[in-house]
Structures are given as C-alpha cells and as structure tokens.
Amino acid sequence: MAGLSDIARAAGVSVSTVSRVLNRRAGIKEGTRQRVLDVLNEMPHTARGMEALRRTGVIGLLVPELSNPVFPAFAEALETRASRAGYASLLCNTRAVMSEQDYVRMLRARGVEAMIFVSPAIANIDPSAGTRPPRGYYERLLSEGVHLVFVNGGTPALEVPDVAVDEQLAGYTATQHLLELGHSRIGFVCGPSQALPSRLKQAGWSAALEEAGAVADPNLVAHAPFGAEGGGQAMSELMDTARPTAVLCSSDLMALGAMREARRRGVSVPENLSVVGFDDISLASYCAPALTTLAQPIEEMANAAVDELVHRLDPDRPDRAPGGHSRVFRPRLVVRESTAPLGTE
Amino acid sequence: MAGLSDIARAAGVSVSTVSRVLNRRAGIKEGTRQRVLDVLNEMPHTARGMEALRRTGVIGLLVPELSNPVFPAFAEALETRASRAGYASLLCNTRAVMSEQDYVRMLRARGVEAMIFVSPAIANIDPSAGTRPPRGYYERLLSEGVHLVFVNGGTPALEVPDVAVDEQLAGYTATQHLLELGHSRIGFVCGPSQALPSRLKQAGWSAALEEAGAVADPNLVAHAPFGAEGGGQAMSELMDTARPTAVLCSSDLMALGAMREARRRGVSVPENLSVVGFDDISLASYCAPALTTLAQPIEEMANAAVDELVHRLDPDRPDRAPGGHSRVFRPRLVVRESTAPLGTE
DNA sequence: CAAACTTGTGCAATTTTTTGCACAAAGAGT
DNA sequence: ACTCTTTGTGCAAAAAATTGCACAAGTTTG
C-alpha cells in the first residue's frame, strides 16, 4: 500500500506537501496540487484519507419526483450520456421525505464530483414558501469544487450553466396551434401557481391570445397539483365555469387526467375538446386519442447538460465544445389525435 | 477533532483495539467491535479512515430500467419507506451502459450499507447469456457485511430475503378472467423468452387453459422485447397468425403497445379484443379504454422489502417483525374497460 | 533597484496510527 | 484438574502523517 512518501517521491515533492494537498490546506500552488492529485489517481491502492480527494467518476442526478415519466426519461438520458463519458450516476428523488438539501449533503459526503439538478428547488419554488434552499447554498457547493448544472430551472443569479426548454414558447406554440384550428376559448390546465415553468407557459398562452386579439381571461386558467389527478381536477373546474373548447396543459400527465375527466363527462376528445400536453412522454403516443403535445428535446438537453459538465470536469478532454453557459431549447409541436378544428360542438 | 485515543477512552478499550476495528482486522470480539463503532457514530467529527466504517445511513436501490413506470414506482415507494426509517436511498439504473456489477462496486465504494435489487440480473437473465454476475458474486457482498434484499427475483440458491409477486398466479388469474368472459383463443403478448417472470406468467396461462380443457397452443404466445414497442410487435404477430380474441400481456407497457396496434388495425378494444395487462402502473387507469390489469401491490412489497432490511440493519429496533425470508404477494385483478365478454366478433 | 511582503515548499519535531509481541481469559481434549 | 489451543486485548516500538518554522523565489512598493 502506498503512503505519503511514495506519492511524494512520484510527484517530486516533499511528504508535507502531499499531506497538505490531502487535507485541502491553503498555500499550495495549483500546479503542484494538480501534480500530486494526478499521481494519486494513478496509484492503485492508497491509504485512508486520500480516498476523498481521489477522482471518483461519480455524478449525482437530482430529480424532483419519479411519478411523472419525464423525470425518469431525463434521468435515463442523462445517465446514458454520462456513462458514455465514463461517469457513473446516482439518482436522487428530492421531493420525497428527504429534501434536495439532504441529498446534496449526502452525495457530497459520498464523494460525488458533480451534480445535475433537474427542475431544482431554487428556481421552481416560490421564495415565500420557505422550503427553498437558503441563499448561498449552491455557491457553497461551487466553492467546494462540486460542479453543477441545472436542467429546466437555471437562474441568472448563479454562475451555473443551465439547459432548459423555452417554456414560454411552449405555451405560445400550443396556444397558436389551437388558435389556428379555430379555437378561441382556450383554457389552461395549469400546475400550482408558484411553479415557475407553469407561470412561463401561462405567459406564452396570454401572449398568443393577445396577439390574436383575444383576451387572456384569468378564469380560463385552473390551478391544481401536478399529476394526472390534478389535471382532472383543473379540467373539471374549467368545464364547470369557463367551458373552453380547447385546453393546454402544464404536462402530459395533467393532460391525461384532463382527458379522462372529459371522457367521464361524456365530452369527446378531440371532437368537442382539443387537448395539448407538454413533455411528450413516451406514453403520449400510446393513449387514445394519441396526445398532441409540445415535446421537450429530452435527449438533446440531457446530452448538452452532461457535455457541459464533462467539459468542466475534464477541461483537457478533446470532446465537443461547450455551448456556453445557458442553452435554451425549442419545444417541438407534435400533432397527434387530441386536437382538431373547432367543430359544431 | 477526535482521534483514536479519544475513541478508545470513550469505548473503554486501548488505542490499538480501535485501530484494529477501523482497519477491519480480524481478532476483535463482536461486542467490542460494536462498542467502538457505536462510540464512533456518536462522535461528531472524527479523523480520516474512520469515515468508511461509520454508519452512513445510505442504501442502494437497483432497478433494471426507468422507461417502464413500474420501476420508478417501486423506486419511489422503496425510497419513501426507507427515508421514514432514516435511510437515504441512491437509485441506480442497471441495464444501461453500466451493468449491475459496475453499480454494485461503485455503491460499495461509496459506503452504502445495504442494497435492494428490483428484478436483479441473477434471477432474470438466462444463465447462458453470460451477462449474469458470476457465481459467488452476491455471496461476496453478503460476506462483506452488505445486506441485500431482492424484489421480484429472489433465488433459493442464496441466503437473501426476497419479496415478490406471484407471477404464475398473475398469469393464471388473468387467463381465468378472460375464460370467464367466454374467451377461448387467449393469446399471450410475452416478453423475451429468457425472462423468468414472463416464463412464470406463461406457466400460469397454460395451467388455466388446460384446467379449462383447452390447449395451450404455443402459437398463441408471441415474444418481443419489453416495452410498448415490443407489445405492438407481438400483438401484430398474433393477429397475423393465431388471431386471439383476448390477450394477456407481460406488462402494462406491452399492453398499451398491443392496444395501439389493435387500434391501428381497426380492431376495437374491448369489443373485438380483450386485453389484460400486468403491473397496474398509474397510467393504466388514464388510458382509453382504461386497462384491466393485474396489480402488483407495489407499496406493500416495497414496505416489506425495506422493513426486512431495516430489521437486519438495526436488529434492536422495536419495529415490526420481519415476515420471514421469502414473502410472496398475490397480484390483484383490477377490472377496468379493456376486457369484455366475447361478443359476436 | 532594493526593501518589504507574499507565497510555496522542505526540514524536522510532534502527534497520531499501526503492528509485533506478550499475556490473560476461555474452551477443548486428554 | 491440567495442559494446550484459540481468541482477544494491551503495551510499547515502529511507521506514518501533521504542523511549526525557516527559507527560497517571486511580487509589489517606495
């Protein structure tokens, strides 16, 4: 088993320097530090204490939930790209009993080199809710040398690269599509009002409506928890009050719930109600009627996120160039069977 | 920062004993070892080397894939129960680029105390495929003190507790249900032929058929890869050849694929074709027609698995008693809209 | 352009951890 | 009951890691 002295010899420095590197003490030139670390990573079996500094090749993936299939889809896409680059992924489900912060702490202790946050708490929860990580929380991570990337939830306040779909454009495009089909009473089956993505989609919805000379009546927006259940609730509310001829939904899952509610009430889709989802989960094309939706380019986004990370983790890797700090992807309209021209109703 | 001597004092042993415990050397009485470890877990910040032996409160969850929603569902249920018991979960997706073994090695290095395998490679892949972990692989883990539990894929060859649904009963019950509706040409949209769960369901299907005096014609079984895509393929094959009036499927996902294929061919479900799925993923009730299926009691199974683990991890916890090494759960028939009495066709 | 600082590293003293050896306690076999 | 193992622990010597101090090399300032 190699000891400090072996490493010192191999790196051409003194034992004390190695010791200092290992203990993260200040006063070591970056070049020397790097040389020691490199030697460390070569050595097959080294003693205690060193393990933590060693490159682990492990990254953490944090998703808010698993019940909406988009998140497993993101996780799988991220994981695939990461393993191709030689990194193993650990997946954490953050909105369960343990919070995002709990998981971050744990991952940090387990030697994770970087973390990718999908829909991170920082960007998506209302500041007033109080459950958001305290200010400076992500900064601390950054300063500890943990690399971060946000997916769908970046914030300009932080020096963290992020990739995201243009949620507002999604709302706009969906509304536009329905407008073109002749609809005018277009409702929005929306997630909780604090959720930023839903707010952005709503902005797109209003914009399209106003551009078409219509008014974005607040009664046409129904808030409910995310999930199919919530979609049903919001749909039910809309049908009782504003009676839209078409709706867009915050997610495919909500759209599925909305469609079931419509079916329960004997309103047939798309003849009497057009429905547009968001995400394009793989099941969207398997339900009947197949769901028209705005696809997130999940694979491209995942690739971009992982590549950005890898670029920072291994700066001298010849790989693809990073696309810059903040990459926005366009959602793609996938027209299937759940939308149709406004009929005689 | 506490050193060996502090721990030795607190535990009432000599420094050398503590050193030996920390280095996993032989020749330490279990009681003494435990006492040292306990003290270790009390101490707030201890030195290097000790971290690895410290209880981490982290368990690993290994699932074969994420695209079939049952696995995220299991993961979420397991995770919830585990966090209630004070354990954090790390989720790994094992059939991607990295294998189950890669992940196990990595988790081990990251200090997880136990692992729960959902549909582990050992039980579900054909031995001849060669991709299965080598013999003694799980034993080694066990001997290193890592606790294991299998979900849906235990094996009597190993001293590992397992919880599972009765796959054969599922096949039997599904077939029985279709038989009662008057069907006799009952097909099976089956996963890959090496997959054990599919083989067991097939056994249940044959048994029910033979019990009813019918023959289990092998032409009524179509194999295809798991997933909705595969379900469509297998369905297509059956419709071209054996023309069943009803089918059961290896999973809800395959059932969804089968239903879409039927729809594509203008065969309406359930009027001209009854379909039974397996799993009861939450989306099963949201598709049209809502899917009749055999539900795995996911939450109960997850609870049983976690409880069994916790019982072993913390033997003196007052918790619920373990249900024994091997627990089998009955699948529950959930009749919805995708099955109907055999009509005039 | 030198004095005053700052930064980075090695040396050696100090502290901490590991290990060889001895010895006590607990069974096992005459 | 009396060896003879086997097993578990402590003591003290040896090995390894940490740190105070000094000094060299590079930077800034007057």
Side-chain angles (χ1 to χ4, degrees), chain A:
Chain A
M1 189 152 94
L4 289 208
S5 54
D6 305 81
I7 297 176
R9 192 159 349 99
V13 295
S14 73
V15 237
S16 34
T17 302
V18 178
S19 169
R20 280 185 272 252
V21 170
L22 254 39
N23 291 298
R24 298 189 180 79
R25 325 295 300 292
I28 298 280
K29 210 195 305 190
E30 184 51 33
T32 316
R33 212 181 75 87
Q34 210 44 252
R35 209 161 59 245
V36 173
L37 252 32
D38 285 351
V39 169
L40 199 60
N41 285 315
E42 294 305 303
M43 301 249 167
H45 238 358
T46 50
R48 1 144 266 196
M50 310 188 191
E51 304 308 348
L53 267 188
R54 211 161 183 165
R55 298 281 317 258
T56 57
V58 180
I59 65 175
L61 265 30
L62 296 100
V63 299
E65 49 154 330
L66 292 172
S67 29
N68 183 339
V70 229
F71 297 114
F74 264 116
E76 203 150 47
L78 288 165
E79 208 231 335
T80 302
R81 184 68 153 204
S83 6
R84 295 251 159 74
Y87 288 90
S89 311
L90 289 174
L91 186 55
C92 297
N93 179 201
T94 59
R95 292 265 209 298
V97 182
M98 290 181 63
S99 72
E100 182 180 298
Q101 286 181 73
D102 294 331
Y103 272 114
V104 167
R105 193 180 4 254
M106 190 265 280
L107 286 176
R108 190 68 199 104
R110 301 268 132 306
V112 164
E113 297 182 39
M115 303 183 195
I116 297 180
F117 293 83
V118 179
S119 302
I122 192 177
N124 288 313
I125 297 187
D126 186 19
S128 64
T131 51
R132 211 168 69 161
R135 212 173 144 20
Y137 163 71
Y138 294 96
E139 273 102 332
R140 183 140 21 91
L141 274 177
L142 251 18
S143 73
E144 284 172 0
V146 181
H147 291 268
L148 263 38
V149 171
F150 290 146
V151 173
N152 281 343
T155 159
L158 249 31
E159 258 299 308
V160 172
D162 73 282
V163 316
V165 241
D166 190 332
E167 310 265 358
Q168 175 157 357
L169 181 58
Y172 181 88
T173 310
T175 311
Q176 188 64 36
H177 169 63
L178 293 169
L179 248 13
E180 276 166 15
L181 289 171
H183 295 274
S184 57
R185 280 211 316 289
I186 300 173
F188 186 13
V189 169
C190 187
S193 52
Q194 327 90 286
L196 186 60
S198 293
R199 281 213 295 260
L200 290 171
K201 285 189 199 88
Q202 188 176 339
W205 166 82
S206 321
L209 242 34
E210 277 158 21
E211 204 177 289
V215 281
D217 179 0
N219 289 325
L220 279 164
V221 180
H223 293 282
F226 287 122
E229 193 70 31
Q233 281 169 36
M235 188 75 243
S236 171
E237 192 183 321
L238 287 177
M239 290 180 119
D240 285 340
T241 58
R243 308 201 118 274
T245 63
V247 290
L248 50 149
C249 306
S250 279
S251 70
D252 284 353
L253 216 51
M254 292 191 86
L256 255 26
M259 289 206 291
R260 189 173 79 166
E261 177 63 19
R263 197 150 52 94
R264 203 182 60 78
R265 291 179 175 232
V267 174
S268 65
V269 176
E271 292 77 8
N272 302 115
L273 178 74
S274 284
V275 177
V276 183
F278 175 76
D279 285 339
D280 195 27
I281 58 179
S282 72
L283 263 42
S285 67
Y286 284 94
C287 58
L291 191 62
T292 291
T293 193
L294 275 116
Q296 296 201 54
I298 296 181
E299 200 174 312
E300 287 94 317
M301 291 171 68
N303 291 351
V306 171
D307 292 350
E308 179 66 39
L309 211 54
V310 169
H311 173 77
R312 284 153 184 265
L313 251 19
D314 314 318
D316 31 289
R317 193 187 278 247
D319 263 351
R320 44 232 148 218
H325 265 206
S326 183
R327 293 193 56 186
V328 177
F329 286 77
R330 294 176 70 85
R332 193 166 34 82
L333 177 67
V334 180
V335 179
R336 285 196 273 248
E337 306 159 4
S338 68
T339 50
L342 178 61
T344 51
E345 197 183 344

Side-chain angles (χ1 to χ4, degrees), chain B residues 74-90:
Chain B
F74 264 116
E76 202 150 47
L78 289 165
E79 209 232 334
T80 303
R81 186 67 154 204
S83 6
R84 295 251 158 74
Y87 288 90
S89 310
L90 289 174

